[in-house]
Amino acid sequence: MSIVIYIAVMAGVTYLVRMIPFTLMRKKIRSQFLRSFLHYIPYAVLSAMTIPAIFYSTGDIVTSIVGTIVAVVLAYLNLPLIVVALAASGAAFLTGLFL
Amino acid sequence: MRLCFRRGLIHGVPIALGYFSVSFGFGIMAVRAGLSVFEAVCISMTNLTSAGQAAGVTIIAACGTYLEMAITQLVINIRYALMGLSLSQKLDSSFNTPHRLAVSFGITDEIFAMASAQPSKLTPRYMYGLILISFLGWSGGTLLGAVAGNILPAAITDAMGIVLYGMFLAIIIPAAKQERSVLAVILIAAFCSCILWYAVPALSSGFAVIISAVIAAAIAAVLFPVKEEEESGE
């Protein structure tokens, strides 16, 4: 497996997904199922990517869980993305110091 | 009031700052997964997307197949197709095909959000300004993160491993508060993902994410179809 091909596949597919509709499509999607599916897919992807992987993200399940709880609470309070992300990391770091 | 290049740059500053911190986390993550600094920066400069890159690095680290990589990127980034579709309705008449081909590279969640929020038609120059500064923030953050990943003590880089996931939670949780249907999508996807993670450990994480996401989004599309007017409000 070559890293160059991996990156080429990633970049190529990502570009085509962005380019084809933006450049070619002029009509609106009619299918309500398809439009709904496309509306929900980003949230589904992010959720599936995050859970349960986040519990192993720092290499230690305790610090990961503390970081996750902090992220969930701050995200629930509608704080900006950067604040939530860095606070989760800070909480995991501080917890690590006490273990 | 025409949207000029400089206005695009100014509107892109908050996006670039946000990208910088997140891509710093991506740089650390990529180096931890065994990539070189150069490879990590190459990925950021050619992809310009957080979730897709994070999944891509996971697949590279696990020596997944190229097909798995292609399908994962397609599924994770399919939202950009919808955004591109939406933006294509809002373009200035000077947006010819070469401009469309170039600008489509820079369609991200945040750039889409900023561009959509403009009251007037979008010009190529405005989009180039917006994309250029965001691109610099994203690539620069990756470079520093990847370098720092080699220098910083393990206690800090370990803790940085959660940054991207924290950002993902910050995207989905406020959306779940607003829409019950999104909450359902998130819970179904998380449930499927956990089942696959623990019950089928042989399944690669890329495919596990695709399968979980498609099941959750399809169920929600049947149970909670999105009405025309709800969509146009985005």
Side-chain angles (χ1 to χ4, degrees):
Chain A
M1 293 291 165
S2 153
I3 184 77
V4 176
I5 299 179
Y6 273 131
I7 296 177
V9 170
M10 280 175 79
V13 173
T14 304
Y15 178 68
L16 289 176
V17 165
R18 285 168 164 153
M19 183 274 280
I20 292 171
F22 188 70
T23 309
L24 302 180
M25 283 279 285
R26 309 287 160 123
K27 288 180 181 172
K28 206 173 189 312
I29 297 173
R30 293 265 169 243
S31 157
Q32 192 181 40
F33 174 80
L34 206 56
R35 280 193 294 111
S36 305
F37 181 82
L38 289 172
H39 173 73
Y40 291 126
I41 201 80
Y43 305 111
V45 167
L46 291 178
S47 175
M49 276 191 66
T50 303
I51 299 166
I54 191 171
F55 302 125
Y56 307 96
S57 61
T58 65
D60 178 273
I61 195 153
V62 177
T63 62
S64 298
I65 287 175
V66 172
T68 305
I69 292 169
V70 168
V72 168
V73 171
L74 296 184
Y76 190 81
L77 297 172
N78 285 345
L79 287 166
L81 302 190
I82 320 166
V83 175
V84 175
L86 294 182
S89 180
F93 175 72
L94 291 176
T95 309
L97 292 181
F98 291 105
L99 287 179
Chain B
M1 183 190 69
R2 242 176 104 81
L3 289 168
C4 61
F5 181 74
R6 193 161 158 273
R7 187 177 291 273
L9 283 179
I10 293 167
H11 285 182
V13 169
I15 299 179
L17 290 177
Y19 277 3
F20 190 89
S21 56
V22 172
S23 65
F24 191 91
F26 170 76
I28 286 178
M29 177 194 180
V31 167
R32 277 161 60 91
L35 274 73
S36 71
V37 173
F38 179 72
E39 288 160 356
V41 174
C42 273
I43 290 177
S44 280
M45 292 181 73
T46 55
N47 283 263
L48 198 66
T49 178
S50 59
Q53 289 184 201
V57 164
T58 311
I59 291 171
I60 293 171
C63 293
T65 63
Y66 298 133
L67 178 68
E68 182 185 352
M69 177 67 90
I71 296 174
T72 304
Q73 297 304 318
L74 177 66
V75 171
I76 291 183
N77 293 327
I78 197 76
R79 66 186 188 282
Y80 295 139
L82 199 65
M83 293 175 189
L85 215 59
S86 167
L87 285 180
S88 71
Q89 313 295 314
K90 204 178 149 54
L91 301 181
D92 189 72
S93 56
S94 60
F95 243 111
N96 56 23
T97 303
H99 283 314
R100 285 179 188 243
L101 289 174
V103 165
S104 58
F105 170 77
I107 298 171
T108 70
D109 303 296
E110 292 76 10
I111 288 169
F112 167 74
M114 183 63 75
S116 305
Q118 300 313 312
S120 49
K121 293 267 184 187
L122 299 170
T123 62
R125 283 169 182 277
Y126 172 78
M127 292 304 291
Y128 290 138
L130 199 57
I131 292 166
L132 176 66
I133 194 159
S134 306
F135 175 82
L136 292 176
W138 185 249
S139 307
T142 305
L143 175 64
L144 288 190
V147 171
N150 287 328
I151 298 170
L152 289 175
I156 294 178
T157 57
D158 281 350
M160 293 291 285
I162 203 171
V163 165
L164 275 177
Y165 296 114
M167 190 192 73
F168 296 159
L169 288 176
I171 294 172
I172 61 178
I173 289 176
K177 273 170 67 185
Q178 283 195 329
E179 284 182 64
R180 273 292 162 83
S181 52
V182 171
L183 178 62
V185 167
I186 289 167
L187 293 178
I188 296 168
F191 177 77
C192 294
S193 173
C194 285
I195 297 273
L196 292 174
W197 181 287
Y198 296 109
V200 197
L203 186 69
S204 70
S205 60
F207 275 126
V209 167
I210 297 166
I211 294 167
S212 307
V214 168
I215 291 173
I219 291 175
V222 171
L223 295 182
F224 315 101
V226 178
K227 291 180 187 68
E228 198 82 28
E229 56 272 18
E230 283 180 39
E231 252 200 356
S232 60
E234 276 181 21

